[in-house]
Amino acid sequence: MKKEEQCFDRYPAGIVAVSAAQALLIYLAGAGIMARAGLAAAGIYIAFCLWCEYRVLSGSCVHCAYYGKPCAFGRGLLSSWLFKQGDPARFNARQITWAAMVPDLLISLAPLAVGVFFLVTAFSWLLLGLVAALVILAFPVTGLIRSQWACAHCKQRLLGCPAEKLFAGPAKPDAC
C-alpha cells in the first residue's frame, strides 16, 4: 500500500487545522457579505451556520468511526465532547440526497447571491474581496481538501459512506 493510500485512524493535526480554518473562513466571509444586508442578516447567517454544524455533529458524527478522534475536520472529537456516541451501523444506513444537502450548500450560495446583488447595486472592493474569497474557499479549496486529504484517507469511507455514494458511486474497498 502506498503512503498516499493510507487510511488514518486519527488525522494529522495539520490537516485538521487547515480544514477547520477553511470552514471558519467560509463562515466569516459569508457573515461579512451578509452584513452588507444588515447586522440582523449576518446574525441569522451565523445562527444558520451553527445549526448546520449542530446537525452534522449530532446526526452524523455521533455514528462515525471517527467519533472521539480527530477526523479530517476535527468534528469527530468535537462531537464526542457534546453528544453521546451513536450506533456506527446507522452511519452507512443513511441516505444522502441532493435535497438533503441544500442547507450545506446554502452556507456558501446564500452569501454569494447576496454578494453578487450588492456588487451590482453598490460595488465595493472589500465586498469583491469577500466574494472572491468565499468562491475560492467554498469551491476549489473544499474540493482539494476533501479529495486529497479527507476522503482519500478516510477509514469511514471503507466502512461505508453515504456521501461517497452520492458523489462517486459505491466505495472501493481496496482504495485505501
Side-chain angles (χ1 to χ4, degrees), residues 117-167:
F117 172 79
F118 281 113
L119 282 173
V120 170
T121 61
F123 180 84
S124 88
W125 287 104
L126 175 60
L127 183 60
L128 179 63
L130 287 171
V131 169
L134 178 65
V135 168
I136 291 167
L137 288 166
F139 300 104
V141 174
T142 294
L144 177 72
I145 287 172
R146 289 188 181 271
S147 67
Q148 300 301 310
W149 294 344
C151 299
H153 302 286
C154 182
K155 178 172 63 173
Q156 181 64 58
R157 180 177 55 87
L158 294 180
L159 300 173
C161 177
E164 184 179 44
K165 291 176 189 170
L166 179 66
F167 290 110

mmCIF file of all heavy atoms in Angstrom, residues 117-167:
data_model
loop_
_atom_site.group_PDB
_atom_site.id
_atom_site.type_symbol
_atom_site.label_atom_id
_atom_site.label_comp_id
_atom_site.label_asym_id
_atom_site.label_seq_id
_atom_site.Cartn_x
_atom_site.Cartn_y
_atom_site.Cartn_z
ATOM 1 N N PHE A 117 -25.508 40.500 -5.673
ATOM 2 C CA PHE A 117 -26.525 41.558 -5.703
ATOM 3 C C PHE A 117 -25.906 42.899 -5.315
ATOM 4 O O PHE A 117 -26.080 43.904 -6.007
ATOM 5 C CB PHE A 117 -27.696 41.217 -4.779
ATOM 6 C CG PHE A 117 -28.666 42.348 -4.618
ATOM 7 C CD1 PHE A 117 -29.612 42.616 -5.606
ATOM 8 C CD2 PHE A 117 -28.626 43.166 -3.497
ATOM 9 C CE1 PHE A 117 -30.497 43.671 -5.478
ATOM 10 C CE2 PHE A 117 -29.508 44.221 -3.356
ATOM 11 C CZ PHE A 117 -30.443 44.478 -4.343
ATOM 12 N N PHE A 118 -25.185 42.931 -4.194
ATOM 13 C CA PHE A 118 -24.600 44.190 -3.741
ATOM 14 C C PHE A 118 -23.434 44.640 -4.619
ATOM 15 O O PHE A 118 -23.195 45.845 -4.734
ATOM 16 C CB PHE A 118 -24.202 44.110 -2.268
ATOM 17 C CG PHE A 118 -25.364 44.269 -1.343
ATOM 18 C CD1 PHE A 118 -25.791 43.215 -0.557
ATOM 19 C CD2 PHE A 118 -26.057 45.472 -1.264
ATOM 20 C CE1 PHE A 118 -26.882 43.355 0.297
ATOM 21 C CE2 PHE A 118 -27.145 45.621 -0.423
ATOM 22 C CZ PHE A 118 -27.564 44.566 0.361
ATOM 23 N N LEU A 119 -22.731 43.726 -5.238
ATOM 24 C CA LEU A 119 -21.676 44.137 -6.181
ATOM 25 C C LEU A 119 -22.280 44.867 -7.371
ATOM 26 O O LEU A 119 -21.692 45.820 -7.879
ATOM 27 C CB LEU A 119 -20.861 42.927 -6.643
ATOM 28 C CG LEU A 119 -19.833 42.407 -5.653
ATOM 29 C CD1 LEU A 119 -19.213 41.108 -6.167
ATOM 30 C CD2 LEU A 119 -18.756 43.450 -5.381
ATOM 31 N N VAL A 120 -23.445 44.421 -7.810
ATOM 32 C CA VAL A 120 -24.113 45.056 -8.955
ATOM 33 C C VAL A 120 -24.751 46.387 -8.547
ATOM 34 O O VAL A 120 -24.700 47.358 -9.307
ATOM 35 C CB VAL A 120 -25.183 44.099 -9.555
ATOM 36 C CG1 VAL A 120 -26.052 44.807 -10.574
ATOM 37 C CG2 VAL A 120 -24.506 42.878 -10.160
ATOM 38 N N THR A 121 -25.331 46.425 -7.360
ATOM 39 C CA THR A 121 -26.071 47.627 -6.955
ATOM 40 C C THR A 121 -25.232 48.655 -6.208
ATOM 41 O O THR A 121 -25.554 49.844 -6.239
ATOM 42 C CB THR A 121 -27.284 47.250 -6.083
ATOM 43 O OG1 THR A 121 -26.832 46.586 -4.909
ATOM 44 C CG2 THR A 121 -28.257 46.381 -6.862
ATOM 45 N N ALA A 122 -24.189 48.240 -5.511
ATOM 46 C CA ALA A 122 -23.367 49.161 -4.711
ATOM 47 C C ALA A 122 -21.958 48.589 -4.579
ATOM 48 O O ALA A 122 -21.548 48.143 -3.504
ATOM 49 C CB ALA A 122 -24.001 49.377 -3.345
ATOM 50 N N PHE A 123 -21.211 48.600 -5.665
ATOM 51 C CA PHE A 123 -19.886 47.982 -5.726
ATOM 52 C C PHE A 123 -18.961 48.508 -4.630
ATOM 53 O O PHE A 123 -18.935 49.692 -4.328
ATOM 54 C CB PHE A 123 -19.236 48.243 -7.094
ATOM 55 C CG PHE A 123 -17.878 47.638 -7.215
ATOM 56 C CD1 PHE A 123 -17.733 46.310 -7.583
ATOM 57 C CD2 PHE A 123 -16.744 48.381 -6.928
ATOM 58 C CE1 PHE A 123 -16.479 45.736 -7.680
ATOM 59 C CE2 PHE A 123 -15.484 47.809 -7.029
ATOM 60 C CZ PHE A 123 -15.349 46.491 -7.398
ATOM 61 N N SER A 124 -18.188 47.574 -4.056
ATOM 62 C CA SER A 124 -17.077 47.953 -3.171
ATOM 63 C C SER A 124 -15.974 46.916 -3.335
ATOM 64 O O SER A 124 -16.254 45.734 -3.574
ATOM 65 C CB SER A 124 -17.526 48.072 -1.717
ATOM 66 O OG SER A 124 -17.449 46.838 -1.046
ATOM 67 N N TRP A 125 -14.757 47.381 -3.197
ATOM 68 C CA TRP A 125 -13.615 46.471 -3.337
ATOM 69 C C TRP A 125 -13.564 45.465 -2.201
ATOM 70 O O TRP A 125 -13.189 44.309 -2.405
ATOM 71 C CB TRP A 125 -12.310 47.264 -3.418
ATOM 72 C CG TRP A 125 -12.168 47.954 -4.737
ATOM 73 C CD1 TRP A 125 -12.344 49.279 -4.989
ATOM 74 C CD2 TRP A 125 -11.855 47.345 -5.990
ATOM 75 N NE1 TRP A 125 -12.157 49.531 -6.325
ATOM 76 C CE2 TRP A 125 -11.845 48.362 -6.970
ATOM 77 C CE3 TRP A 125 -11.582 46.046 -6.398
ATOM 78 C CZ2 TRP A 125 -11.570 48.112 -8.306
ATOM 79 C CZ3 TRP A 125 -11.304 45.802 -7.728
ATOM 80 C CH2 TRP A 125 -11.298 46.824 -8.658
ATOM 81 N N LEU A 126 -13.936 45.902 -1.006
ATOM 82 C CA LEU A 126 -13.956 44.981 0.128
ATOM 83 C C LEU A 126 -14.947 43.849 -0.127
ATOM 84 O O LEU A 126 -14.633 42.681 0.090
ATOM 85 C CB LEU A 126 -14.330 45.718 1.419
ATOM 86 C CG LEU A 126 -14.496 44.842 2.663
ATOM 87 C CD1 LEU A 126 -13.204 44.098 2.996
ATOM 88 C CD2 LEU A 126 -14.958 45.677 3.844
ATOM 89 N N LEU A 127 -16.133 44.208 -0.608
ATOM 90 C CA LEU A 127 -17.137 43.193 -0.907
ATOM 91 C C LEU A 127 -16.645 42.255 -2.008
ATOM 92 O O LEU A 127 -16.822 41.035 -1.913
ATOM 93 C CB LEU A 127 -18.459 43.842 -1.307
ATOM 94 C CG LEU A 127 -19.607 42.889 -1.575
ATOM 95 C CD1 LEU A 127 -19.932 42.050 -0.347
ATOM 96 C CD2 LEU A 127 -20.831 43.663 -2.038
ATOM 97 N N LEU A 128 -16.015 42.803 -3.026
ATOM 98 C CA LEU A 128 -15.466 41.955 -4.089
ATOM 99 C C LEU A 128 -14.443 40.975 -3.521
ATOM 100 O O LEU A 128 -14.432 39.790 -3.881
ATOM 101 C CB LEU A 128 -14.841 42.806 -5.196
ATOM 102 C CG LEU A 128 -14.204 42.028 -6.345
ATOM 103 C CD1 LEU A 128 -15.244 41.196 -7.090
ATOM 104 C CD2 LEU A 128 -13.489 42.985 -7.295
ATOM 105 N N GLY A 129 -13.605 41.449 -2.621
ATOM 106 C CA GLY A 129 -12.618 40.570 -1.987
ATOM 107 C C GLY A 129 -13.267 39.461 -1.175
ATOM 108 O O GLY A 129 -12.829 38.306 -1.225
ATOM 109 N N LEU A 130 -14.327 39.809 -0.431
ATOM 110 C CA LEU A 130 -15.035 38.798 0.354
ATOM 111 C C LEU A 130 -15.717 37.764 -0.543
ATOM 112 O O LEU A 130 -15.671 36.564 -0.258
ATOM 113 C CB LEU A 130 -16.065 39.459 1.276
ATOM 114 C CG LEU A 130 -15.509 40.205 2.479
ATOM 115 C CD1 LEU A 130 -16.620 40.982 3.179
ATOM 116 C CD2 LEU A 130 -14.830 39.252 3.446
ATOM 117 N N VAL A 131 -16.339 38.236 -1.626
ATOM 118 C CA VAL A 131 -16.994 37.311 -2.559
ATOM 119 C C VAL A 131 -15.957 36.403 -3.209
ATOM 120 O O VAL A 131 -16.158 35.187 -3.314
ATOM 121 C CB VAL A 131 -17.833 38.076 -3.607
ATOM 122 C CG1 VAL A 131 -18.286 37.151 -4.729
ATOM 123 C CG2 VAL A 131 -19.030 38.750 -2.944
ATOM 124 N N ALA A 132 -14.838 36.987 -3.641
ATOM 125 C CA ALA A 132 -13.781 36.176 -4.260
ATOM 126 C C ALA A 132 -13.235 35.149 -3.275
ATOM 127 O O ALA A 132 -13.033 33.978 -3.619
ATOM 128 C CB ALA A 132 -12.663 37.080 -4.777
ATOM 129 N N ALA A 133 -12.997 35.572 -2.025
ATOM 130 C CA ALA A 133 -12.502 34.645 -1.004
ATOM 131 C C ALA A 133 -13.503 33.520 -0.770
ATOM 132 O O ALA A 133 -13.120 32.343 -0.685
ATOM 133 C CB ALA A 133 -12.230 35.396 0.296
ATOM 134 N N LEU A 134 -14.785 33.873 -0.689
ATOM 135 C CA LEU A 134 -15.816 32.853 -0.482
ATOM 136 C C LEU A 134 -15.839 31.849 -1.630
ATOM 137 O O LEU A 134 -15.873 30.639 -1.397
ATOM 138 C CB LEU A 134 -17.192 33.516 -0.336
ATOM 139 C CG LEU A 134 -18.366 32.558 -0.159
ATOM 140 C CD1 LEU A 134 -18.252 31.793 1.154
ATOM 141 C CD2 LEU A 134 -19.676 33.310 -0.231
ATOM 142 N N VAL A 135 -15.794 32.338 -2.846
ATOM 143 C CA VAL A 135 -15.824 31.440 -4.013
ATOM 144 C C VAL A 135 -14.621 30.504 -4.002
ATOM 145 O O VAL A 135 -14.759 29.290 -4.192
ATOM 146 C CB VAL A 135 -15.895 32.245 -5.328
ATOM 147 C CG1 VAL A 135 -15.629 31.364 -6.528
ATOM 148 C CG2 VAL A 135 -17.248 32.932 -5.460
ATOM 149 N N ILE A 136 -13.447 31.044 -3.751
ATOM 150 C CA ILE A 136 -12.225 30.226 -3.758
ATOM 151 C C ILE A 136 -12.248 29.205 -2.621
ATOM 152 O O ILE A 136 -11.959 28.020 -2.826
ATOM 153 C CB ILE A 136 -10.974 31.119 -3.685
ATOM 154 C CG1 ILE A 136 -10.831 31.906 -4.992
ATOM 155 C CG2 ILE A 136 -9.719 30.297 -3.396
ATOM 156 C CD1 ILE A 136 -9.834 33.045 -4.927
ATOM 157 N N LEU A 137 -12.606 29.650 -1.422
ATOM 158 C CA LEU A 137 -12.626 28.746 -0.270
ATOM 159 C C LEU A 137 -13.715 27.681 -0.380
ATOM 160 O O LEU A 137 -13.504 26.528 -0.016
ATOM 161 C CB LEU A 137 -12.838 29.533 1.021
ATOM 162 C CG LEU A 137 -11.672 30.379 1.490
ATOM 163 C CD1 LEU A 137 -12.126 31.363 2.555
ATOM 164 C CD2 LEU A 137 -10.540 29.501 2.006
ATOM 165 N N ALA A 138 -14.884 28.072 -0.881
ATOM 166 C CA ALA A 138 -16.026 27.154 -0.889
ATOM 167 C C ALA A 138 -15.974 26.136 -2.008
ATOM 168 O O ALA A 138 -16.537 25.053 -1.868
ATOM 169 C CB ALA A 138 -17.333 27.949 -0.980
ATOM 170 N N PHE A 139 -15.315 26.447 -3.089
ATOM 171 C CA PHE A 139 -15.360 25.521 -4.213
ATOM 172 C C PHE A 139 -14.017 24.842 -4.472
ATOM 173 O O PHE A 139 -13.865 23.684 -4.086
ATOM 174 C CB PHE A 139 -15.986 26.213 -5.428
ATOM 175 C CG PHE A 139 -17.390 26.675 -5.125
ATOM 176 C CD1 PHE A 139 -17.671 28.003 -4.892
ATOM 177 C CD2 PHE A 139 -18.419 25.750 -4.977
ATOM 178 C CE1 PHE A 139 -18.959 28.423 -4.562
ATOM 179 C CE2 PHE A 139 -19.712 26.151 -4.644
ATOM 180 C CZ PHE A 139 -19.973 27.498 -4.439
ATOM 181 N N PRO A 140 -13.004 25.488 -5.039
ATOM 182 C CA PRO A 140 -11.772 24.714 -5.293
ATOM 183 C C PRO A 140 -11.058 24.249 -4.022
ATOM 184 O O PRO A 140 -10.547 23.134 -3.982
ATOM 185 C CB PRO A 140 -10.905 25.666 -6.115
ATOM 186 C CG PRO A 140 -11.481 27.020 -5.936
ATOM 187 C CD PRO A 140 -12.928 26.843 -5.591
ATOM 188 N N VAL A 141 -11.040 25.070 -2.972
ATOM 189 C CA VAL A 141 -10.332 24.657 -1.755
ATOM 190 C C VAL A 141 -11.073 23.507 -1.071
ATOM 191 O O VAL A 141 -10.457 22.536 -0.627
ATOM 192 C CB VAL A 141 -10.110 25.851 -0.797
ATOM 193 C CG1 VAL A 141 -9.505 25.383 0.521
ATOM 194 C CG2 VAL A 141 -9.198 26.887 -1.451
ATOM 195 N N THR A 142 -12.403 23.582 -1.008
ATOM 196 C CA THR A 142 -13.171 22.469 -0.439
ATOM 197 C C THR A 142 -12.926 21.196 -1.236
ATOM 198 O O THR A 142 -12.712 20.129 -0.657
ATOM 199 C CB THR A 142 -14.684 22.802 -0.414
ATOM 200 O OG1 THR A 142 -14.886 23.879 0.497
ATOM 201 C CG2 THR A 142 -15.506 21.603 0.025
ATOM 202 N N GLY A 143 -12.955 21.298 -2.550
ATOM 203 C CA GLY A 143 -12.709 20.128 -3.392
ATOM 204 C C GLY A 143 -11.333 19.537 -3.154
ATOM 205 O O GLY A 143 -11.174 18.317 -3.067
ATOM 206 N N LEU A 144 -10.338 20.392 -3.037
ATOM 207 C CA LEU A 144 -8.971 19.933 -2.781
ATOM 208 C C LEU A 144 -8.872 19.240 -1.423
ATOM 209 O O LEU A 144 -8.323 18.138 -1.320
ATOM 210 C CB LEU A 144 -7.998 21.111 -2.844
ATOM 211 C CG LEU A 144 -6.552 20.778 -2.518
ATOM 212 C CD1 LEU A 144 -5.931 19.977 -3.658
ATOM 213 C CD2 LEU A 144 -5.766 22.038 -2.257
ATOM 214 N N ILE A 145 -9.389 19.870 -0.394
ATOM 215 C CA ILE A 145 -9.311 19.286 0.957
ATOM 216 C C ILE A 145 -10.018 17.936 0.997
ATOM 217 O O ILE A 145 -9.482 16.953 1.507
ATOM 218 C CB ILE A 145 -9.896 20.254 2.010
ATOM 219 C CG1 ILE A 145 -8.937 21.423 2.218
ATOM 220 C CG2 ILE A 145 -10.172 19.530 3.328
ATOM 221 C CD1 ILE A 145 -9.495 22.543 3.083
ATOM 222 N N ARG A 146 -11.211 17.877 0.457
ATOM 223 C CA ARG A 146 -11.958 16.621 0.507
ATOM 224 C C ARG A 146 -11.316 15.534 -0.347
ATOM 225 O O ARG A 146 -11.181 14.400 0.095
ATOM 226 C CB ARG A 146 -13.416 16.848 0.096
ATOM 227 C CG ARG A 146 -14.171 17.608 1.155
ATOM 228 C CD ARG A 146 -15.642 17.690 0.868
ATOM 229 N NE ARG A 146 -16.319 18.453 1.889
ATOM 230 C CZ ARG A 146 -16.818 17.946 3.003
ATOM 231 N NH1 ARG A 146 -16.719 16.661 3.251
ATOM 232 N NH2 ARG A 146 -17.424 18.708 3.882
ATOM 233 N N SER A 147 -10.902 15.864 -1.557
ATOM 234 C CA SER A 147 -10.379 14.818 -2.447
ATOM 235 C C SER A 147 -8.968 14.371 -2.075
ATOM 236 O O SER A 147 -8.655 13.191 -2.168
ATOM 237 C CB SER A 147 -10.415 15.296 -3.901
ATOM 238 O OG SER A 147 -9.506 16.361 -4.102
ATOM 239 N N GLN A 148 -8.119 15.288 -1.663
ATOM 240 C CA GLN A 148 -6.721 14.942 -1.420
ATOM 241 C C GLN A 148 -6.418 14.560 0.022
ATOM 242 O O GLN A 148 -5.505 13.788 0.276
ATOM 243 C CB GLN A 148 -5.818 16.120 -1.825
ATOM 244 C CG GLN A 148 -5.944 16.488 -3.285
ATOM 245 C CD GLN A 148 -5.588 15.335 -4.204
ATOM 246 O OE1 GLN A 148 -4.542 14.706 -4.055
ATOM 247 N NE2 GLN A 148 -6.458 15.035 -5.149
ATOM 248 N N TRP A 149 -7.163 15.106 0.981
ATOM 249 C CA TRP A 149 -6.837 14.864 2.384
ATOM 250 C C TRP A 149 -7.923 14.085 3.105
ATOM 251 O O TRP A 149 -7.645 13.093 3.763
ATOM 252 C CB TRP A 149 -6.607 16.172 3.130
ATOM 253 C CG TRP A 149 -5.410 16.939 2.695
ATOM 254 C CD1 TRP A 149 -4.371 16.472 1.945
ATOM 255 C CD2 TRP A 149 -5.130 18.299 2.970
ATOM 256 N NE1 TRP A 149 -3.458 17.469 1.750
ATOM 257 C CE2 TRP A 149 -3.906 18.607 2.370
ATOM 258 C CE3 TRP A 149 -5.797 19.288 3.661
ATOM 259 C CZ2 TRP A 149 -3.329 19.855 2.457
ATOM 260 C CZ3 TRP A 149 -5.225 20.540 3.742
ATOM 261 C CH2 TRP A 149 -4.006 20.816 3.148
ATOM 262 N N ALA A 150 -9.146 14.553 3.028
ATOM 263 C CA ALA A 150 -10.212 13.980 3.851
ATOM 264 C C ALA A 150 -10.651 12.615 3.335
ATOM 265 O O ALA A 150 -10.366 11.588 3.942
ATOM 266 C CB ALA A 150 -11.392 14.941 3.937
ATOM 267 N N CYS A 151 -11.345 12.594 2.235
ATOM 268 C CA CYS A 151 -11.937 11.347 1.727
ATOM 269 C C CYS A 151 -10.874 10.331 1.294
ATOM 270 O O CYS A 151 -11.074 9.136 1.436
ATOM 271 C CB CYS A 151 -12.892 11.650 0.573
ATOM 272 S SG CYS A 151 -14.264 12.726 1.074
ATOM 273 N N ALA A 152 -9.761 10.812 0.792
ATOM 274 C CA ALA A 152 -8.718 9.908 0.296
ATOM 275 C C ALA A 152 -8.129 9.033 1.398
ATOM 276 O O ALA A 152 -7.613 7.950 1.121
ATOM 277 C CB ALA A 152 -7.600 10.717 -0.370
ATOM 278 N N HIS A 153 -8.190 9.472 2.639
ATOM 279 C CA HIS A 153 -7.569 8.744 3.744
ATOM 280 C C HIS A 153 -8.574 8.335 4.825
ATOM 281 O O HIS A 153 -8.200 8.031 5.950
ATOM 282 C CB HIS A 153 -6.474 9.602 4.380
ATOM 283 C CG HIS A 153 -5.413 10.009 3.420
ATOM 284 N ND1 HIS A 153 -4.459 9.145 2.949
ATOM 285 C CD2 HIS A 153 -5.185 11.200 2.803
ATOM 286 C CE1 HIS A 153 -3.669 9.784 2.101
ATOM 287 N NE2 HIS A 153 -4.095 11.027 1.996
ATOM 288 N N CYS A 154 -9.846 8.321 4.471
ATOM 289 C CA CYS A 154 -10.904 8.122 5.461
ATOM 290 C C CYS A 154 -11.229 6.647 5.687
ATOM 291 O O CYS A 154 -11.609 5.928 4.767
ATOM 292 C CB CYS A 154 -12.165 8.865 5.020
ATOM 293 S SG CYS A 154 -13.517 8.731 6.192
ATOM 294 N N LYS A 155 -11.119 6.251 6.951
ATOM 295 C CA LYS A 155 -11.460 4.883 7.337
ATOM 296 C C LYS A 155 -12.973 4.648 7.202
ATOM 297 O O LYS A 155 -13.402 3.573 6.797
ATOM 298 C CB LYS A 155 -11.002 4.646 8.778
ATOM 299 C CG LYS A 155 -11.334 3.274 9.310
ATOM 300 C CD LYS A 155 -10.693 3.006 10.651
ATOM 301 C CE LYS A 155 -11.193 3.943 11.702
ATOM 302 N NZ LYS A 155 -10.718 3.613 13.053
ATOM 303 N N GLN A 156 -13.772 5.654 7.517
ATOM 304 C CA GLN A 156 -15.226 5.513 7.422
ATOM 305 C C GLN A 156 -15.652 5.266 5.978
ATOM 306 O O GLN A 156 -16.607 4.547 5.726
ATOM 307 C CB GLN A 156 -15.938 6.751 7.981
ATOM 308 C CG GLN A 156 -17.450 6.655 7.942
ATOM 309 C CD GLN A 156 -18.001 5.544 8.816
ATOM 310 O OE1 GLN A 156 -17.765 5.508 10.016
ATOM 311 N NE2 GLN A 156 -18.752 4.629 8.230
ATOM 312 N N ARG A 157 -14.934 5.817 5.033
ATOM 313 C CA ARG A 157 -15.246 5.595 3.613
ATOM 314 C C ARG A 157 -15.189 4.107 3.290
ATOM 315 O O ARG A 157 -16.024 3.585 2.550
ATOM 316 C CB ARG A 157 -14.277 6.372 2.724
ATOM 317 C CG ARG A 157 -14.537 6.183 1.243
ATOM 318 C CD ARG A 157 -13.589 7.040 0.420
ATOM 319 N NE ARG A 157 -12.206 6.796 0.731
ATOM 320 C CZ ARG A 157 -11.450 5.860 0.166
ATOM 321 N NH1 ARG A 157 -11.955 5.058 -0.741
ATOM 322 N NH2 ARG A 157 -10.201 5.709 0.507
ATOM 323 N N LEU A 158 -14.245 3.416 3.864
ATOM 324 C CA LEU A 158 -14.128 1.980 3.624
ATOM 325 C C LEU A 158 -15.252 1.197 4.297
ATOM 326 O O LEU A 158 -15.690 0.170 3.794
ATOM 327 C CB LEU A 158 -12.787 1.455 4.128
ATOM 328 C CG LEU A 158 -11.558 1.973 3.397
ATOM 329 C CD1 LEU A 158 -10.301 1.372 3.998
ATOM 330 C CD2 LEU A 158 -11.635 1.674 1.923
ATOM 331 N N LEU A 159 -15.706 1.708 5.443
ATOM 332 C CA LEU A 159 -16.783 1.044 6.171
ATOM 333 C C LEU A 159 -18.145 1.335 5.552
ATOM 334 O O LEU A 159 -19.095 0.601 5.775
ATOM 335 C CB LEU A 159 -16.770 1.498 7.638
ATOM 336 C CG LEU A 159 -15.486 1.192 8.405
ATOM 337 C CD1 LEU A 159 -15.518 1.841 9.779
ATOM 338 C CD2 LEU A 159 -15.271 -0.311 8.512
ATOM 339 N N GLY A 160 -18.202 2.411 4.801
ATOM 340 C CA GLY A 160 -19.432 2.823 4.139
ATOM 341 C C GLY A 160 -19.715 4.289 4.389
ATOM 342 O O GLY A 160 -19.737 4.724 5.540
ATOM 343 N N CYS A 161 -19.904 5.025 3.325
ATOM 344 C CA CYS A 161 -20.146 6.455 3.435
ATOM 345 C C CYS A 161 -21.244 6.871 2.464
ATOM 346 O O CYS A 161 -21.060 6.763 1.249
ATOM 347 C CB CYS A 161 -18.870 7.232 3.146
ATOM 348 S SG CYS A 161 -19.122 9.017 3.175
ATOM 349 N N PRO A 162 -22.357 7.344 2.980
ATOM 350 C CA PRO A 162 -23.454 7.767 2.105
ATOM 351 C C PRO A 162 -23.064 8.929 1.194
ATOM 352 O O PRO A 162 -23.550 9.024 0.075
ATOM 353 C CB PRO A 162 -24.559 8.189 3.070
ATOM 354 C CG PRO A 162 -24.186 7.652 4.392
ATOM 355 C CD PRO A 162 -22.714 7.433 4.387
ATOM 356 N N ALA A 163 -22.186 9.815 1.660
ATOM 357 C CA ALA A 163 -21.758 10.943 0.821
ATOM 358 C C ALA A 163 -20.972 10.438 -0.385
ATOM 359 O O ALA A 163 -21.143 10.939 -1.500
ATOM 360 C CB ALA A 163 -20.931 11.930 1.632
ATOM 361 N N GLU A 164 -20.134 9.436 -0.165
ATOM 362 C CA GLU A 164 -19.377 8.897 -1.291
ATOM 363 C C GLU A 164 -20.315 8.258 -2.312
ATOM 364 O O GLU A 164 -20.117 8.380 -3.511
ATOM 365 C CB GLU A 164 -18.333 7.887 -0.843
ATOM 366 C CG GLU A 164 -17.504 7.423 -2.034
ATOM 367 C CD GLU A 164 -16.428 6.438 -1.684
ATOM 368 O OE1 GLU A 164 -16.701 5.508 -0.907
ATOM 369 O OE2 GLU A 164 -15.316 6.607 -2.193
ATOM 370 N N LYS A 165 -21.350 7.608 -1.815
ATOM 371 C CA LYS A 165 -22.334 7.011 -2.729
ATOM 372 C C LYS A 165 -22.993 8.086 -3.580
ATOM 373 O O LYS A 165 -23.258 7.874 -4.760
ATOM 374 C CB LYS A 165 -23.389 6.232 -1.952
ATOM 375 C CG LYS A 165 -22.863 4.976 -1.303
ATOM 376 C CD LYS A 165 -23.933 4.310 -0.465
ATOM 377 C CE LYS A 165 -23.348 3.181 0.351
ATOM 378 N NZ LYS A 165 -24.296 2.670 1.341
ATOM 379 N N LEU A 166 -23.255 9.237 -2.983
ATOM 380 C CA LEU A 166 -23.889 10.337 -3.714
ATOM 381 C C LEU A 166 -22.924 10.927 -4.740
ATOM 382 O O LEU A 166 -23.290 11.155 -5.894
ATOM 383 C CB LEU A 166 -24.357 11.418 -2.751
ATOM 384 C CG LEU A 166 -25.011 12.649 -3.388
ATOM 385 C CD1 LEU A 166 -26.320 12.260 -4.037
ATOM 386 C CD2 LEU A 166 -25.213 13.720 -2.344
ATOM 387 N N PHE A 167 -21.687 11.176 -4.330
ATOM 388 C CA PHE A 167 -20.741 11.873 -5.190
ATOM 389 C C PHE A 167 -19.986 10.977 -6.157
ATOM 390 O O PHE A 167 -19.701 11.368 -7.272
ATOM 391 C CB PHE A 167 -19.721 12.660 -4.345
ATOM 392 C CG PHE A 167 -20.318 13.828 -3.664
ATOM 393 C CD1 PHE A 167 -20.474 13.832 -2.298
ATOM 394 C CD2 PHE A 167 -20.729 14.934 -4.367
ATOM 395 C CE1 PHE A 167 -21.037 14.917 -1.653
ATOM 396 C CE2 PHE A 167 -21.286 16.046 -3.738
ATOM 397 C CZ PHE A 167 -21.437 16.015 -2.359
#
